[in-house]
Amino acid sequence: REESSWSSTQPEAMEEENPLFSNLDLFLFTLIAGLIIYWFMSRKKAEPIPEFKKLNQPAPSTQETSFIEKMKKTGRNIVVFYGSQTGTGEEFANRLSKDAQRYGMKGMAADPEEYDMSELSRLAEIGNSLAIFCMATYGEGDPTDNAQDFYDWLQETDGQLNGVNYTVFALGNKTYEHYNAMGAYVDKRLEELGAKRVFDLGMGDDDGNLEEDFVTWREQFWPAMCEHFGVEASGEDSSVRQYELKEHNDINMNKVYTGELGRLKSFETQKPPFDAKNPFLAPVTVNRKLNKAGDRHLMHLEVDITGSKIRYESGDHVAVYPTNDTVIVNKLGQILGVDLDSVISLNNLDEESNKKHPFPCPTTYRTALTHYLDIIHPPRTNVLYELAQYATDPKDQENMRKMASSAPEGKALYQSFVLEDNRNILAILEDLPSLRPPIDHLCELMPRLQARYYSIASSSKVHPNSIHICAVVVEYTTKTGRLTKGVATTWLKNKLVADNGHKSTVPMYIRKSQFRLPFKASNPVIMVGPGTGIAPFMGFIQERGWLKEQGKEVGETALYCGCRHKEEDYLYQEELEEAEKAGVITKLNVAFSRDQEQKVYVQHLLRTNKEDLWRQIHTDNAHIYICGDARNMARDVQTAFYEIAEELGGMTRTQATDYIKKLMTKGRYSQDVWS
């Protein structure tokens, strides 16, 4: 603007002053004016340059990305990396790094996502050093989200890890096809790269007793380490606090976390992109009961994602962050005699740690117990061991310590008292009246409350601004006569759609999945999903219907679903029958397991239609999808496919197994299962 006003007055000035100046003067005047303009313009342009340079410089990192430098600086020789999706791997890693102190060593737990893993080869620079890997397997043999980059690096690197000592403890579940695949891969790959395995791979099975597997492995691991490094246990088995309590008496409440997972006030001012640390508060627009009768509550929920920029595909998972039952939170406050609304911070005593607090701080005990801590699952043995010191009855103290040992008697006691009787921390405090720990230590030891994943029951082609969830409310009575309710499903059930303008919201984000419809719509699909396993197929059916409407050639679409009784819990009956009428579902097969004397399940219906299925699979390039229970259903369905391949493909069982496994590697046999 300045320039234009200057140039617009220029001719006027020149006319008036023309008689007074010679041509040379005019020339000099113009030259000077030009130079002034040039200087002015160039000064204007030059200003942003330093800014631009600043932008391109890497921001000074508040976090050290070199774990080697951190270990050297803080005199540590053991690093415990974890690949963790639900927090258990991280929990085990913390326990192992704490253990190191008892052996005169110093450990640190580390998230591989936060460090440069190509530095692993430098571990040999630190004397008597060791890398421990607690690696969980997710889904179909995949790495957990936080270990994905590390997994990619392991696959691509040809770096040498000579002189690096390592051991691996794997976390998995035997009911899954690729049991402990990630842990086994890390164990094998590190050896291939020249690292030295100093203790055998540990295999933890969550279908059995993961805690027991870990305790047993750990109790053999440490003596072997002592021998390897020539050190002795200090014998100090006492509890070591990781965090110290700070009470805030006159804090501005705007600085206090009230349930947010990352940025303070992120629930009040929502900013995309939305992810695990920054979930979107999606309003619930529909919450209806799906079953007509029976003692269970099956529900269909719809949440609104308008304006969130969230995108999803059929087959993805929606992750939701539930909150704990206020009744249980209040009872914990009463039994421990604390004011739940006190504002506190738990600060890490290890100032070098990347993890400053066990959960967002400052906050109140009430918020921590409601939003951040898992108070419903039976506590692990290390929690009982650490809390034992607060029991005033010596018998209670002895039993709690015994449960944390790998002695057969201790294991049996933990199995019966904690796992079989399904005692959560409140039940344990109620049944052991001499145990009254300080609440801050209890909060330090409790694991984090995790997001729950649900298969999305809608298609974004049909519902771009809405995500559908199908779930069954978990509720049962334990052996001690206590009513136990599923944290997330009970919380979802109570997310009512109010008329008064107040909307119930669900903190959520999307987790991408490999569970995808075939790229070519003309490929037949065979979907097997009994019970709430039907969820992703509702999205698939909507999408196939939409493709049909677009005039695309859509292949055969067969659905095998099931429920207990046709008149009670036939899920989405109207929608399915309508899709069949419209020719979107070409074959609708429903197993009503309890409507007759002999139980009928989806695998029975598969065998009934074996010729049709074999043609679709073997000749027409069909894609098979299984969703639901991993422990029994998925296994029985897989066996049914083996039998069909044996009988109609004229194969031996080994050949049939290989045939189905090949379909899996080609992405033509996909599973979305849970146990």
Side-chain angles (χ1 to χ4, degrees):
R1 192 169 296 151
E2 284 175 47
E3 289 159 31
S4 62
S5 62
W6 200 95
S7 58
S8 65
T9 58
Q10 198 181 349
E12 242 176 86
M14 281 166 70
E15 266 174 54
E16 282 176 16
E17 297 174 66
N18 217 1
L20 300 168
F21 295 108
S22 70
N23 285 345
L24 181 65
D25 288 337
L26 265 178
F27 171 73
L28 285 170
F29 180 77
T30 313
L31 186 68
I32 291 162
L35 284 168
I36 290 169
I37 291 173
Y38 176 76
W39 175 80
F40 190 77
M41 295 279 287
S42 62
R43 192 190 62 144
K44 271 290 196 214
K45 277 182 190 151
E47 264 182 336
I49 291 171
E51 287 294 311
F52 187 68
K53 275 188 188 153
K54 246 187 259 170
L55 282 175
N56 277 339
Q57 285 167 351
S61 172
T62 51
Q63 237 162 264
E64 177 86 75
T65 60
S66 167
F67 65 90
I68 298 292
E69 293 311 318
K70 188 175 236 185
M71 287 173 79
K72 285 180 175 177
K73 198 163 76 182
T74 56
R76 295 167 204 255
N77 61 333
I78 292 181
V79 58
V80 194
F81 291 106
Y82 56 85
S84 184
Q85 197 71 28
T86 60
T88 312
E90 182 179 356
E91 214 181 302
F92 286 0
N94 281 323
R95 282 159 73 172
L96 289 167
S97 80
K98 250 178 159 181
D99 281 346
Q101 272 175 290
R102 289 180 18 211
Y103 303 94
M105 304 187 217
K106 212 171 166 198
M108 66 179 247
D111 182 343
E113 202 170 31
E114 291 178 4
Y115 293 101
D116 176 3
M117 293 304 286
S118 67
E119 289 211 326
L120 202 52
S121 58
R122 291 184 57 204
L123 194 61
E125 295 170 16
I126 298 169
N128 269 1
S129 60
L130 168 69
I132 306 173
F133 295 85
C134 290
M135 304 310 281
T137 300
Y138 186 79
E140 297 299 289
D142 304 318
T144 55
D145 292 351
N146 77 313
Q148 184 67 53
D149 292 345
F150 172 49
Y151 175 71
D152 294 344
W153 174 76
L154 278 176
Q155 285 192 306
E156 290 155 19
T157 188
D158 46 12
Q160 285 304 298
L161 299 181
N162 299 354
V164 174
N165 296 313
Y166 79 93
T167 186
V168 180
F169 182 81
L171 297 84
N173 187 312
K174 259 209 180 87
T175 56
Y176 288 80
E177 182 74 30
H178 305 277
Y179 173 52
N180 273 332
M182 181 60 182
Y185 174 74
V186 171
D187 182 60
K188 177 173 127 297
R189 186 70 182 130
L190 291 173
E191 186 179 45
E192 287 170 1
L193 294 169
K196 184 183 179 192
R197 181 189 296 107
V198 292
F199 192 68
D200 293 338
L201 167 68
M203 297 284 264
D205 177 19
D206 204 25
D207 187 44
N209 183 341
L210 185 58
E211 176 70 18
E212 189 178 302
D213 294 337
F214 176 68
V215 168
T216 306
W217 179 85
R218 175 175 161 247
E219 289 211 353
Q220 294 165 345
F221 164 71
W222 283 115
M225 282 314 93
C226 290
E227 203 174 310
H228 186 271
F229 291 122
V231 293
E232 273 184 36
S234 62
E236 281 179 39
D237 245 3
S238 62
S239 154
V240 183
R241 287 292 299 262
Q242 204 177 334
Y243 299 93
E244 64 178 349
L245 171 68
K246 182 178 190 322
E247 292 174 333
H248 305 277
N249 296 320
D250 49 354
I251 192 168
N252 174 353
M253 290 311 278
N254 279 328
K255 294 198 163 71
V256 178
Y257 281 87
T258 56
E260 311 93 317
L261 292 134
R263 180 174 56 84
L264 187 68
K265 302 285 173 209
S266 62
F267 284 169
E268 286 173 32
T269 51
Q270 293 249 285
K271 291 178 192 157
F274 296 104
D275 55 27
K277 293 263 166 39
N278 180 34
F280 175 65
L281 291 181
V284 177
T285 54
V286 174
N287 184 349
R288 63 184 169 95
K289 190 177 177 182
L290 282 171
N291 50 321
K292 303 181 191 80
D295 50 6
R296 296 184 306 160
H297 184 102
L298 293 126
M299 56 190 170
H300 170 87
L301 275 97
E302 296 179 16
V303 298
D304 186 5
I305 54 167
T306 306
S308 67
K309 296 192 166 68
I310 289 173
R311 300 273 173 273
Y312 75 95
E313 295 289 328
S314 312
D316 282 342
H317 295 135
V318 56
V320 302
Y321 284 102
T323 55
N324 287 311
D325 187 343
T326 49
V327 174
I328 295 176
V329 172
N330 289 334
K331 276 189 185 166
L332 276 171
Q334 277 165 3
I335 214 164
L336 295 174
V338 288
D339 173 10
L340 290 176
D341 296 309
S342 317
V343 180
I344 57 115
S345 286
L346 286 178
N347 301 326
N348 202 326
L349 290 161
D350 172 7
E351 285 172 11
E352 294 299 326
S353 174
N354 282 359
K355 195 172 182 185
K356 302 298 177 205
H357 316 283
F359 42 76
C361 290
T363 189
T364 63
Y365 286 124
R366 185 183 305 283
T367 299
L369 293 169
T370 307
H371 292 271
Y372 300 138
L373 299 171
D374 183 349
I375 55 175
I376 299 301
H377 272 110
R380 299 198 182 277
T381 58
N382 65 306
V383 176
L384 302 178
Y385 184 87
E386 298 245 356
L387 294 180
Q389 60 184 309
Y390 302 112
T392 51
D393 180 339
K395 189 87 190 109
D396 288 348
Q397 205 170 100
E398 186 197 337
N399 280 337
M400 288 175 76
R401 290 219 167 97
K402 198 187 280 172
M403 283 192 263
S405 78
S406 65
E409 190 192 345
K411 282 180 178 176
L413 185 59
Y414 178 72
Q415 183 67 33
S416 62
F417 183 75
V418 179
L419 298 181
E420 285 170 16
D421 291 351
N422 204 358
R423 281 184 172 86
N424 59 27
I425 192 65
L426 175 63
I428 285 169
L429 293 171
E430 285 173 343
D431 294 346
L432 302 178
S434 94
L435 176 65
R436 293 296 176 262
I439 191 166
D440 60 299
H441 199 178
L442 185 79
C443 287
E444 172 179 324
L445 293 169
M446 290 277 99
R448 281 292 293 267
L449 184 60
Q450 299 294 329
R452 305 301 202 265
Y453 299 99
Y454 295 95
S455 304
I456 296 176
S458 52
S459 161
S460 56
K461 301 278 192 292
V462 182
H463 300 283
N465 292 317
S466 169
I467 285 173
H468 300 184
I469 299 171
C470 168
V472 58
V473 177
V474 176
E475 204 171 284
Y476 56 94
T477 304
T478 68
K479 285 184 178 176
T480 62
R482 291 178 169 96
L483 180 67
T484 296
K485 296 176 177 184
V487 177
T489 52
T490 306
W491 168 79
L492 282 172
K493 180 186 173 185
N494 295 323
K495 290 281 171 189
L496 303 175
V497 182
D499 299 329
N500 60 7
H502 172 76
K503 285 204 166 82
S504 296
T505 57
V506 169
M508 53 72 68
Y509 68 96
I510 297 297
R511 190 173 193 282
K512 292 284 166 206
S513 141
Q514 300 301 312
F515 204 69
R516 288 277 181 271
L517 276 168
F519 182 68
K520 280 170 67 180
S522 56
N523 282 67
V525 299
I526 298 158
M527 306 175 287
V528 186
T532 55
I534 194 170
F537 303 135
M538 294 308 294
F540 281 13
I541 291 160
Q542 287 172 13
E543 190 137 328
R544 301 276 274 189
W546 180 85
L547 288 164
K548 231 176 144 71
E549 278 170 22
Q550 304 302 304
K552 294 261 180 4
E553 187 201 333
V554 176
E556 291 175 76
T557 304
L559 174 68
Y560 292 80
C561 59
C563 53
R564 294 176 183 183
H565 302 283
K566 185 173 183 177
E567 297 308 318
E568 275 184 17
D569 53 6
Y570 184 174
L571 306 185
Y572 298 111
Q573 181 177 357
E574 292 78 15
E575 291 93 324
L576 294 176
E577 288 174 354
E578 218 162 277
E580 189 185 27
K581 229 180 259 159
V584 176
I585 297 177
T586 45
K587 205 161 182 52
L588 176 60
N589 310 274
V590 191
F592 303 107
S593 60
R594 302 181 186 186
D595 272 351
Q596 59 287 307
E597 222 171 294
Q598 219 53 48
K599 284 196 175 157
V600 174
Y601 295 119
V602 280
Q603 60 268 27
H604 299 130
L605 300 186
L606 291 171
R607 288 190 185 95
T608 311
N609 293 328
K610 58 190 177 192
E611 282 87 2
D612 221 15
L613 285 167
W614 184 246
R615 170 188 55 78
Q616 290 173 330
I617 298 164
H618 197 60
T619 314
D620 301 342
N621 215 20
H623 286 235
I624 302 164
Y625 301 91
I626 320 291
C627 181
D629 158 56
R631 190 173 285 117
N632 302 309
M633 183 277 298
R635 207 176 272 172
D636 293 341
V637 164
Q638 206 162 312
T639 305
F641 280 115
Y642 292 159
E643 288 169 5
I644 292 169
E646 260 182 285
E647 190 187 332
L648 297 164
M651 303 180 189
T652 63
R653 175 51 67 101
T654 314
Q655 288 170 328
T657 309
D658 286 347
Y659 182 87
I660 298 296
K661 293 263 167 30
K662 238 184 218 112
L663 291 182
M664 288 177 180
T665 49
K666 284 183 186 163
R668 279 183 51 204
Y669 189 113
S670 309
Q671 301 192 86
D672 177 4
V673 292
W674 55 84
S675 72

